[in-house]
Amino acid sequence: SNLTFSLSLSSPVIKRAKSKMGKGISKLLNELDSLVNPLEGLTLEDADLEFASDLDIRNLVDWIQSGKAKKIMVLTGAGVSVAAGIPDFRTPGTGLYDNLQKYNLPHPQAVFDVGFYRSNPQPFVTLAKELWPGLTHSPTLTHSFLKMLSDKGLLLRLYSQNIDGLEYLAGIPDDKLVECHGHFRSATCIDCGTTADADSVKNTIVKNGTVPECKNCGGNVKPDIVFFGESLPDRFHRLLRTDIQEADLLLVMGTSLQVAPVSMIPDMVQCDHRVLFNREPVMKIRSGQDIFLPGDCDDHVQELCSILGWKDDLEKENAKVQIDDSNNKKKAESED
């Protein structure tokens, strides 16, 4: 990385050559000089960060079809659920944090803070009522694609940072799914640690919009979502140790890679290739090894499945897991 690009068409050698050439050639060299000069002083490491990979989606297809990728590890973030109507966290104007102002929080992240929940649980309860899995939001095409990878025996493990439960609703088996930041399917008292009845907690939050209380100590109960300051599940750490060694391909999909320790996974894996499905290039793209597919995840998933010949199966798989929102609305209205 100490080497630098020192090529310049204004060097003494080139200047002497230009003086001996016709005006046309000299003009062309001058124009080229203006393009090359910006590279002066640029280290190889800088160049690697700046310039996109020369690989594309066709290389990904080849890795899958040739059998080079048969232990695929996947890391997903909120971006894979945007097409389901669930906002991501950090997009200015539309992200979840920007839209939490109505809860009068000291700062947006407080809604996922244990100390704040202990003293003022209502903002999280109100948010949880809107986001509770299985009521209005259905798995996206990306979720169904990951289910297909599992069905085809190609999925080593899916590490999801999301709490929307859409991977679970898509039918991805428990042993293939690591919900890094927890889920809504179980609940615990934040004071005494007693496990609460999950259905009762759901009814209290979703139907009544109130705070569930612990029957043992009277403390506040919350779904087993990992709040700031809480440890990630033991299963995350246990499986990650071996998965980062076994994976032969990593797919990073719809994430800002801003929350540790999950954000470190792309640098921890030992496989040769990583593919980033994302609107922004949030990790280093290694030339000749990694692929960056900019844009929405579902768009690239559809393109990939079309080339692989999986498109019809993808659409059928996704159709099976769509939630009939009209029935849920009628049920809610009758309960009111």
Side-chain angles (χ1 to χ4, degrees):
S1 61
N2 292 327
L3 296 175
T4 61
F5 289 101
S6 57
L7 175 63
S8 173
L9 294 178
S10 58
S11 65
V13 174
I14 297 297
K15 282 183 176 179
R16 288 195 296 272
K18 287 162 67 175
S19 67
K20 297 181 181 180
M21 296 179 180
K23 290 183 178 180
I25 297 296
S26 181
K27 181 180 179 182
L28 175 61
L29 287 173
N30 282 331
E31 292 175 349
L32 288 172
D33 193 19
S34 68
L35 295 175
V36 175
N37 276 339
L39 294 177
E40 287 192 80
L42 182 67
T43 66
L44 289 173
E45 183 177 355
D46 292 334
D48 197 30
L49 285 169
E50 290 292 329
F51 300 126
S53 170
D54 52 353
L55 304 180
D56 59 27
I57 198 168
R58 291 169 295 182
N59 297 96
L60 175 56
V61 170
D62 177 64
W63 297 337
I64 294 174
Q65 289 182 330
S66 67
K68 292 179 181 177
K70 50 189 177 184
K71 292 184 178 180
I72 302 175
M73 183 173 168
V74 183
L75 171 59
T76 59
V80 302
S81 299
V82 171
I86 301 174
D88 63 13
F89 283 87
R90 293 177 172 81
T91 299
T94 61
L96 183 61
Y97 284 152
D98 268 10
N99 292 323
L100 287 175
Q101 302 302 322
K102 58 186 176 182
Y103 299 128
N104 297 316
L105 304 173
H107 54 85
Q109 291 87 346
V111 74
F112 296 117
D113 181 270
V114 175
F116 187 80
Y117 184 76
R118 180 174 283 108
S119 61
N120 186 7
Q122 194 58 49
F124 173 78
V125 168
T126 304
L127 179 65
K129 182 178 180 179
E130 295 179 13
L131 295 180
W132 201 280
L135 300 180
T136 58
H137 303 292
S138 301
T140 67
L141 290 172
T142 298
H143 294 109
S144 294
F145 165 68
L146 300 177
K147 167 65 161 54
M148 290 176 63
L149 287 183
S150 176
D151 291 345
K152 293 176 182 293
L154 299 175
L155 182 65
L156 173 64
R157 205 88 59 201
L158 165 57
Y159 288 79
S160 172
Q161 300 174 82
N162 301 331
I163 59 172
D164 53 41
L166 294 185
E167 293 90 356
Y168 178 83
L169 293 173
I172 295 171
D174 289 346
D175 65 317
K176 295 295 183 182
L177 175 61
V178 177
E179 292 166 296
C180 307
H181 297 150
H183 54 75
F184 285 87
R185 298 186 301 278
S186 58
T188 306
C189 173
I190 64 171
D191 289 329
C192 71
T194 298
T195 299
D197 180 75
D199 289 335
S200 176
V201 170
K202 178 181 178 180
N203 289 336
T204 301
I205 292 177
V206 175
K207 292 184 179 180
N208 304 330
T210 56
V211 183
E213 294 183 359
C214 177
K215 293 182 178 179
N216 182 51
C217 74
N220 293 338
V221 171
K222 73 170 182 63
D224 288 335
I225 302 300
V226 179
F227 276 22
F228 291 111
E230 292 185 311
S231 299
L232 270 62
D234 290 340
R235 183 169 176 267
F236 165 81
H237 299 285
R238 186 176 69 254
L239 291 175
L240 187 62
R241 292 190 194 100
T242 55
D243 287 349
I244 58 175
Q245 300 177 47
E246 290 186 25
D248 50 28
L249 175 66
L250 174 68
L251 305 183
V252 181
M253 311 182 82
T255 173
S256 60
L257 291 179
Q258 291 191 22
V259 180
V262 181
S263 59
M264 297 185 284
I265 289 177
D267 293 323
M268 296 170 68
V269 293
Q270 299 176 22
C271 53
D272 292 333
H273 303 296
R274 306 173 304 177
V275 183
L276 175 64
F277 296 70
N278 213 51
R279 291 179 178 176
E280 303 293 336
V282 294
M283 68 184 201
K284 181 178 178 180
I285 303 299
R286 303 169 299 182
S287 180
Q289 290 182 273
D290 301 333
I291 302 173
F292 174 40
L293 301 175
D296 293 335
C297 295
D298 276 10
D299 292 340
H300 290 298
V301 162
Q302 288 184 86
E303 180 185 4
L304 176 61
C305 287
S306 292
I307 301 173
L308 287 168
W310 298 358
K311 188 174 182 181
D312 289 345
D313 290 338
L314 175 69
E315 293 174 351
K316 291 177 183 177
E317 184 65 42
N318 189 245
K320 291 192 300 185
V321 293
Q322 294 305 295
I323 293 171
D324 187 351
D325 191 26
S326 61
N327 286 342
N328 285 321
K329 288 180 179 177
K330 290 177 183 177
K331 185 177 179 181
E333 289 170 358
S334 65
E335 290 170 352
D336 291 341

